[in-house]
Amino acid sequence: MMRAFSVQVGPFGFRVGSAWPQPIRALERLYADYPKPADGIPDFTVRLEPVRAVRRFIRPSVAIRGDFMLPDAVPTSLAHGLLAAEMAMNLQVAMGERRFLLLHAASVERDGKVLLMTGESGSGKSTLSALLGEKGWRFMGDEFALIDPETGLAFPFPRPVSLKNAAVAEMLRHVAPERLGPEMVGTPKGDIRHLKPPVEAIRRMSEPGKPALLLFPRYGLPRDIRPVPASEAFVRLTQASTNYTMLGERGFEALTNLVQGIPGRAIDYPDTATALALVDQLWADPA
Amino acid sequence: MKDARILAWVLADPSRAAQLRPHQWTAMLTIAQAERLLGTLAHRLAGLEVPEAAARVLHRARRSAETDRRQALWEAEMARRALAPLGLPVLLLKGTAVLAAGMDAGAGRLVGDLDILVPRDRMEAAEAALLSAGWEWVKADAYDDAYYRNHMHELPPLIHRARDRMIDVHHTILPLTARARPDASALIADAVDLGNGMKVLCPEDMVIHAVLHLLADGDLAGGLRNLWDIDRMLREFAEAEGFWARLLARSRHHKVTRYVSRALRLSHHIFETPVDRYLAWQGRRGDLFYAGRLLARNGWGQETATLLRLAFYVRSHWIRMPPLMLARHLFTKWRKGHQPIR
């Protein structure tokens, strides 16, 4: 490996090796506020390699490899190398983690209590969690919520938030431009910029919280609130978990305890202001 | 360190882990993951003092292996139920056999597919029973399907539609086109009954199968794990009186002594296995190439020694089929755009 970078995010240490210097430089800037892995031993290794040796120099094409790999992962262009690194780090956690139940969900915390928001890509959970993180909540993560089966607590995984398309302009109204990473245009997920979480969120990234409310946001629809029964929440979260089946009985218990312990609400919203008002309202009184 | 030796060194004697520095831990854990030996390493290091970050990685690997074990044994039970009406006991091979028999080699071992051995004249009946119990053909093309049926030692792989697990139904332990032709009926006749409707090969045949799988059928990719199986089996079986003599006799019976001999030397060289010196010196030289191939991985988990790997890839085809057939096979695969090695 030509260049290497390592970082600790929440409970996981990562080591990223790259055949090119550019993705490593981008990672160093984006993760400047994060600590290094404890004991100098990372949990997961990620490699950004040329698809074939010649593709290091000619039309560089970044293959995503590491401890865990998808056989049909599509290579990215070198200009999107940072995105490749981010995807590869997520993939390691998604495929390799066995202690925590992973939910594809954004999470924020207030007074020790955690708001979980889950939904498809485009539901707005990343943007909402990032905005709440600027408005008095502690940002815990926009990608994975980590549920500890033994205690039921949610642990943070506060990666930089990946903002897509219109969300970038929206966020620039609330944060200083230095908080945003480089612009990556025309990726498979659209135009992407990363937002560095608040320093406080990183400093407290090993502090868990108790789940209190589960929201299923949907963007682009008239304002609406609908209760989601535990049974439906359960099924939707099994689909939103990357390691539910691999955890076996522990996963089943963790998930049933979670959905039975907290209220679930589906919210539709036409714009961010409405969503933030809905969050405030449901947080104060879920009924 | 430029190769996987650090992993082999600690697997052979876990107390050595106390001497490792952080970058060596990192390299060893990464290599173990890439060689599918992390669960095994976790078991070897259980109860020893290790850095906290390493303990987390190893804990995860133990959990993984435990899930794998449960799924593999359940899959074996499913096959038993499917084949029971035919009066066919399930003769387990490879990883599932090692787990079901509770052998040392099974501690922390990952298992991919379920491999079973069925008498050749019962293959059709077994195939029909599995198909009606929910297994389906993996989508393969006509050439691959015909190739399996005419030249291989197993059915084209079947996958279960609900559980998404693969089963390989073998009628012998090497391709029909390979140079060596083990005695399949002896494998079945001398199998050991586990008392739950399942069987495993007798100890000597189990070693021989592991050896042939490593050295006579494939390009040694992921071979370190297979060699570890061999190390564990040799140490465990050698506790019984007369094992080495029986292994020698059985190897001669199957006409595979030179493979067994080389495997003994490699296991001794890489994992410090105590081996029978007479049996270990029956073969030809060239062990260093084999050892180099088995250890061809760096601390980032990348495969190294491209030329050596390519040579073993070519060899894997050479030993598997006669020259003319090989030429035809490679031409067909090449037209389909197959790429042998990155």
Side-chain angles (χ1 to χ4, degrees):
Chain A
M1 283 286 133
M2 213 162 92
R3 293 285 296 269
F5 168 76
S6 59
V7 67
Q8 179 84 24
V9 185
F12 307 124
F14 295 93
R15 170 174 72 143
V16 182
S18 168
W20 305 272
Q22 296 92 320
I24 298 297
R25 282 203 295 266
L27 286 167
E28 280 165 352
R29 279 196 294 270
L30 194 59
Y31 286 93
D33 301 327
Y34 290 75
K36 297 289 166 196
D39 302 338
I41 303 172
D43 291 75
F44 300 111
T45 290
V46 160
R47 308 191 313 257
L48 305 178
E49 296 175 343
V51 179
R52 265 185 286 289
V54 294
R55 296 294 290 273
R56 170 176 297 196
F57 305 105
I58 303 163
R59 288 186 295 121
S61 183
V62 184
I64 297 174
R65 304 209 171 106
D67 290 337
F68 297 89
M69 294 185 260
L70 289 178
D72 45 5
V74 184
T76 69
S77 75
L78 183 53
H80 302 154
L82 177 60
L83 183 66
E86 292 283 300
M87 284 164 54
M89 287 158 78
N90 278 340
L91 184 70
Q92 303 311 309
V93 175
M95 293 179 72
E97 174 54 16
R98 291 292 185 279
R99 175 185 163 200
F100 296 109
L101 175 69
L102 293 174
L103 299 178
H104 190 226
S107 51
V108 291
E109 176 259 8
R110 199 175 214 174
D111 309 323
K113 293 189 293 183
V114 176
L115 163 64
L116 298 166
M117 292 178 285
T118 183
E120 312 269 297
S121 191
S123 64
K125 63 180 181 344
S126 286
T127 314
L128 282 179
S129 61
L131 278 173
L132 290 167
E134 304 301 321
K135 294 177 185 303
W137 297 72
R138 172 165 66 110
F139 173 79
M140 293 176 72
D142 80 316
E143 185 75 30
F144 291 124
L146 313 173
I147 307 296
D148 181 8
E150 270 68 54
T151 61
L153 296 178
F155 279 74
F157 184 51
R159 303 276 305 282
V161 185
S162 116
L163 299 169
K164 294 166 196 104
N165 306 319
V168 177
E170 168 80 43
M171 194 54 63
L172 274 171
R173 300 216 305 269
H174 302 273
V175 302
E178 305 86 72
R179 292 270 304 280
L180 292 183
E183 191 167 9
M184 289 175 282
V185 180
T187 78
K189 296 177 175 176
D191 299 345
I192 289 185
R193 283 185 83 172
H194 288 95
L195 169 73
K196 293 188 201 175
V199 175
E200 182 70 358
I202 298 168
R203 197 181 60 76
R204 296 174 60 192
M205 69 184 185
S206 52
E207 279 178 40
K210 192 171 161 47
L213 177 63
L214 174 61
L215 294 182
F216 297 84
R218 273 196 307 179
Y219 169 68
L221 296 163
R223 181 186 183 282
D224 192 24
I225 305 176
R226 188 174 64 82
V228 177
S231 52
E232 184 186 334
F234 174 82
V235 172
R236 289 173 74 166
L237 287 178
T238 58
Q239 288 161 354
S241 173
T242 58
N243 69 350
Y244 168 72
T245 48
M246 295 185 283
L247 259 54
E249 194 178 348
R250 289 175 64 246
F252 176 79
E253 278 173 6
L255 198 51
T256 45
N257 287 340
L258 177 72
V259 296
Q260 286 170 349
I262 62 174
R265 296 287 180 273
I267 55 169
D268 296 348
Y269 64 96
D271 53 58
T272 330
T274 310
L276 294 175
L278 277 170
V279 167
D280 276 344
Q281 179 193 330
L282 290 171
W283 188 253
D285 178 18
Chain B
M1 198 153 317
K2 291 278 183 285
D3 64 22
R5 206 167 298 261
I6 189 166
L7 171 64
W9 185 69
V10 172
L11 278 175
D13 179 359
S15 70
R16 291 165 177 164
Q19 308 168 37
L20 297 181
R21 289 185 310 213
H23 71 277
Q24 293 171 313
W25 268 105
T26 303
M28 178 176 72
L29 294 172
T30 307
I31 293 166
Q33 171 69 35
E35 295 289 342
R36 293 171 61 79
L37 276 165
L38 193 56
T40 303
L41 181 65
H43 265 270
R44 291 292 283 163
L45 292 172
L48 296 177
E49 191 91 16
V50 307
E52 201 182 310
R56 236 172 26 224
V57 175
L58 295 169
H59 180 69
R60 205 176 278 135
R62 259 194 293 273
R63 281 252 163 86
S64 250
E66 185 47 42
T67 309
D68 230 57
R69 196 182 94 87
R70 194 178 310 125
Q71 285 184 341
L73 293 178
W74 179 246
E75 208 51 33
E77 170 62 15
M78 292 294 96
R80 185 195 69 75
R81 291 183 197 178
L83 297 180
L86 305 179
L88 269 179
V90 170
L91 205 175
L92 302 169
L93 300 173
K94 300 188 193 171
T96 315
V98 162
L99 290 180
M103 291 162 49
D104 290 347
R109 193 188 192 283
L110 297 182
V111 176
D113 307 340
L114 171 62
D115 296 274
I116 63 170
L117 186 66
V118 165
R120 198 169 187 191
D121 57 6
R122 306 297 305 276
M123 289 289 272
E124 271 183 42
E127 184 180 348
L130 291 171
L131 287 173
S132 68
W135 276 271
E136 298 174 334
W137 300 119
V138 178
K139 266 209 182 73
D141 64 21
Y143 175 78
D144 286 351
D145 192 72
Y147 188 89
Y148 264 98
R149 289 177 188 278
N150 296 332
H151 304 303
M152 288 296 280
H153 52 307
E154 58 194 349
L155 290 175
L158 291 158
I159 197 158
H160 194 275
R161 88 167 74 94
R163 295 188 305 277
D164 201 32
R165 301 276 295 192
M166 200 110 87
I167 186 169
D168 283 330
V169 183
H170 304 244
H171 57 80
T172 183
I173 54 175
L174 271 187
L176 301 174
T177 49
R179 306 281 193 272
R181 292 292 289 271
D183 177 358
S185 43
L187 295 172
I188 292 170
D190 294 338
V192 179
D193 202 332
L194 293 180
N196 56 357
M198 303 195 205
K199 292 186 170 192
V200 296
L201 296 175
C202 70
E204 297 76 29
D205 281 344
M206 222 189 256
V207 171
I208 287 168
H209 184 204
V211 167
L212 294 179
H213 184 55
L214 174 67
L215 294 178
D217 180 23
D219 63 357
L220 276 77
L224 203 57
R225 205 265 305 258
N226 298 326
L227 190 67
W228 175 255
D229 280 348
I230 293 169
D231 166 86
R232 289 295 104 178
M233 288 180 195
L234 291 176
R235 288 175 193 259
E236 188 171 355
F237 295 150
E239 287 171 14
E241 193 66 35
F243 166 72
W244 295 109
R246 285 195 301 278
L247 182 59
L248 175 62
R250 198 67 170 178
S251 304
R252 285 182 174 155
H253 176 78
H254 289 302
K255 302 193 175 62
V256 295
T257 315
R258 69 191 177 94
Y259 290 116
V260 173
S261 182
R262 187 188 300 281
L264 260 52
R265 295 197 302 277
L266 288 170
S267 186
H268 174 73
H269 175 70
I270 293 178
F271 292 123
E272 303 160 35
T273 322
V275 296
D276 180 73
R277 289 178 66 176
Y278 178 75
L279 181 50
W281 287 101
Q282 297 295 313
R284 290 180 304 190
R285 306 304 167 84
D287 290 352
L288 281 182
F289 294 109
Y290 287 82
R293 173 64 188 92
L294 288 168
L295 296 169
R297 195 177 293 276
N298 68 20
W300 279 92
Q302 294 170 303
E303 295 198 286
T304 54
T306 311
L307 279 181
L308 191 58
R309 281 191 291 127
L310 181 63
F312 272 97
Y313 180 78
V314 171
R315 170 187 174 273
S316 76
H317 279 76
W318 181 250
I319 57 176
R320 212 182 283 164
M321 37 185 118
L324 188 61
M325 185 178 163
L326 174 58
R328 218 165 42 221
H329 175 76
L330 289 180
F331 180 66
T332 310
K333 284 287 179 186
W334 172 75
R335 271 194 327 194
K336 288 170 193 275
H338 181 71
Q339 289 238 345
I341 241 165
R342 273 199 301 270

